[in-house]
Amino acid sequence: MKKSILQGLERVNELNYQAHEKQRLSLDRTLPVAIVVAVNKKAQGPSIKAINDSIENFIVNIKEYKKIKHNLELALYQFY
């Protein structure tokens, strides 16, 4: 193979490696957060509203932190 083709292939391999490393590093900084909400069947009105307001407030506050919000993996589990 010509030298320029080999150099081109080496450069492609290097760029692929760098992209893979960048992706791996971003995954390493993932912040998993789980919100578990367990209420009984009698919970209604004000108590449910308070729970919803608290979750919404948490999400709104997290959005203010640009570094965190891009790596945040949020799960909401609801049980009755």
Side-chain angles (χ1 to χ4, degrees), residues 17-29:
Y17 176 79
Q18 289 173 359
H20 175 72
E21 282 299 300
K22 185 177 180 181
Q23 182 182 17
R24 187 186 63 77
L25 289 173
S26 72
L27 292 175
D28 289 346
R29 290 183 259 150

Side-chain angles (χ1 to χ4, degrees), residues 55-69:
I55 293 170
E56 182 179 359
N57 188 37
F58 173 78
I59 292 170
V60 167
N61 285 325
I62 283 293
K63 286 182 177 181
E64 293 179 14
Y65 297 95
K66 292 179 182 179
K67 289 183 180 180
I68 294 175
K69 75 176 184 178

Side-chain angles (χ1 to χ4, degrees), residues 37-49 51 79-80:
V37 179
V39 295
N40 61 30
K41 292 181 181 182
K42 294 179 183 178
Q44 295 179 5
S47 58
I48 297 296
K49 183 174 179 352
I51 292 169
F79 296 96
Y80 290 100

